[in-house]
Amino acid sequence: MVYTFCNFLIVEVYAVMQSETEQRPHKVSFYVDKDKARDVMRALSEQLEKRGLDVKIIYSGGMDLDILPQGAGKGQALAYLLKKFKAEGKLPNNTLVCGDSGNDAELFSIPDVYGVMVSNAQEELLQWHAENAKNNPKIIHATERCASGIIQAIGQFSLGPNTSPRDLKCSSECKMEDTNPGHEIVKFYLFYERWRRAEVENSDQSLEKLKAVCYPSGVFIHPSGVERPLHDCISAMKNCYGNKRKGLRVWVDRVSSAQISSDTWLVKFDKWELSGEEWQCCRTTVILRSRAASLSDGFTWMHVHQTWLEGSGAKNQTNWLF
């Protein structure tokens, strides 16, 4: 097939132009078979160089070929951010880049960053690693897939905690020095899920421990608008033990926190519940207060306010506890 780029005839290649939605003013994208990718890239590079076009060619995903300006790409974007942070005196303590396809390769070329290629990375990225970074101790090819590979790298490079709360038998196994407002939210809802799935001990002591982290006069505003004391909401959990033994999953995402005083935090997140094929989601705002000067001493829940996300309200709103 014959294509033109910037009004110049480039080369006859074995490629199919991607849809118009994938084309940009500074990006031209094709589909190319894996077994012909090297030949196509070589021919394109020669023709573009002859025309004096300063571009880069990136092959990824075993099929996608992109033509970009030399100044574009993930590597340049990361370098720009690091330079900007440095100029503002906010350079991160550590930076970990993660990738699984060829368009991630240039991320690993940025100096002074850690890198992980997950075990299910595409062939073209693994080939780049073998040719360019095999002996770089700051870049690893993980033995785990997807997010597990990233968690593996966090542990290997000692960049932070690398154990998910879901992998712990109980919240008491969480290291206190790892506690932060977001982690507090995760621990609370993980206990809530395990309680309703009957995966923790059914005891008054368990609920009393949960009450102990809630302010005695704390208020929960249900997404329906009804206000209830936090302690009453926890007491109501007694009648819900094990009522979702199968199929319940609870998770939070889009978690953001802001310190609004010396000991108080405002945390916002989306809280999801999935039971069978039914799911609900609330936008949640929580006010937490640290129980001592050190955050490692934990938090007290002062206030919880939830509103339904559009189209995600529960059919039976009495079943929504937190």
Side-chain angles (χ1 to χ4, degrees):
M1 301 180 69
V2 179
Y3 296 103
T4 60
F5 180 71
C6 296
N7 297 322
F8 290 108
L9 179 64
I10 295 180
V11 66
E12 186 172 344
V13 296
Y14 295 96
V16 176
M17 203 156 194
Q18 295 185 20
S19 66
E20 287 296 323
T21 59
E22 299 303 315
Q23 312 303 328
R24 303 285 187 275
H26 301 290
K27 178 175 79 76
V28 180
S29 298
F30 300 88
Y31 292 123
V32 179
D33 290 339
K34 186 188 301 185
D35 59 345
K36 298 188 173 62
R38 280 183 172 272
D39 292 337
V40 169
M41 292 174 69
R42 187 182 304 110
L44 274 174
S45 180
E46 292 174 356
Q47 291 295 324
L48 292 169
E49 187 176 349
K50 288 179 181 178
R51 298 295 181 179
L53 297 175
D54 189 23
V55 299
K56 66 172 66 171
I57 301 172
I58 299 176
Y59 186 69
S60 63
M63 61 185 297
D64 299 311
L65 187 147
D66 297 324
I67 302 175
L68 303 167
Q70 281 291 349
K74 294 183 179 182
Q76 282 78 3
L78 176 58
Y80 170 80
L81 285 173
L82 292 176
K83 182 179 180 180
K84 190 172 181 63
F85 286 142
K86 184 177 181 180
E88 296 178 358
K90 301 177 181 178
L91 192 65
N93 292 330
N94 293 294
T95 302
L96 175 67
V97 299
C98 318
D100 64 355
S101 63
N103 61 9
D104 299 316
E106 58 185 38
L107 286 170
F108 301 95
S109 299
I110 304 302
D112 302 321
V113 303
Y114 294 96
V116 54
M117 300 172 186
V118 293
S119 68
N120 57 304
Q122 296 286 338
E123 181 179 336
E124 72 271 0
L125 183 60
L126 299 182
Q127 183 174 344
W128 181 93
H129 176 256
E131 295 173 356
N132 299 277
K134 192 172 184 179
N135 297 319
N136 186 340
K138 285 193 170 185
I139 299 177
I140 66 168
H141 179 205
T143 58
E144 300 290 336
R145 294 173 50 85
C146 305
S148 295
I150 298 173
I151 292 174
Q152 178 185 347
I154 291 173
Q156 180 160 331
F157 296 131
S158 300
L159 302 180
N162 66 323
T163 302
S164 165
R166 286 195 180 275
D167 296 329
L168 303 177
K169 295 180 181 178
C170 63
S171 60
S172 63
E173 295 182 30
C174 296
K175 294 181 179 180
M176 295 306 293
E177 62 265 29
D178 295 336
T179 301
N180 58 56
H183 198 185
E184 176 74 18
I185 299 297
V186 171
K187 287 197 299 179
F188 183 95
Y189 281 109
L190 185 56
F191 175 86
Y192 166 82
E193 175 193 282
R194 288 174 172 172
W195 177 268
R196 298 190 70 181
R197 289 170 60 99
E199 294 176 351
V200 294
E201 181 183 0
N202 182 5
S203 67
D204 291 338
Q205 289 82 357
S206 295
L207 294 183
E208 289 303 316
K209 288 181 180 179
L210 204 60
K211 284 184 179 180
V213 303
C214 295
Y215 188 62
S217 301
V219 173
F220 170 69
I221 301 179
H222 190 276
S224 65
V226 175
E227 293 188 18
R228 296 183 66 189
L230 276 172
H231 280 201
D232 287 359
C233 296
I234 294 173
S235 296
M237 287 176 57
K238 186 174 181 64
N239 298 324
C240 298
Y241 181 82
N243 69 338
K244 296 287 186 179
R245 290 177 182 270
K246 295 182 179 180
L248 177 70
R249 274 298 182 191
V250 178
W251 69 96
V252 299
D253 65 8
R254 297 209 301 165
V255 181
S256 63
S257 60
Q259 190 168 5
I260 56 178
S261 72
S262 60
D263 63 351
T264 306
W265 294 76
L266 182 69
V267 189
K268 295 182 178 181
F269 56 93
D270 291 342
K271 182 255 178 172
W272 296 80
E273 284 192 19
L274 175 66
S275 181
E277 296 183 355
E278 184 180 1
W279 59 269
Q280 295 90 38
C281 181
C282 278
R283 188 60 178 166
T284 306
T285 301
V286 175
I287 296 178
L288 300 176
R289 179 173 293 167
S290 54
R291 291 200 285 265
S294 171
L295 293 182
S296 63
D297 290 321
F299 297 90
T300 297
W301 290 58
M302 306 297 294
H303 185 88
V304 181
H305 190 164
Q306 293 185 330
T307 55
W308 294 120
L309 288 189
E310 185 176 355
S312 59
K315 295 178 181 178
N316 183 357
Q317 297 202 14
T318 61
N319 290 334
W320 185 269
L321 299 181
F322 277 106

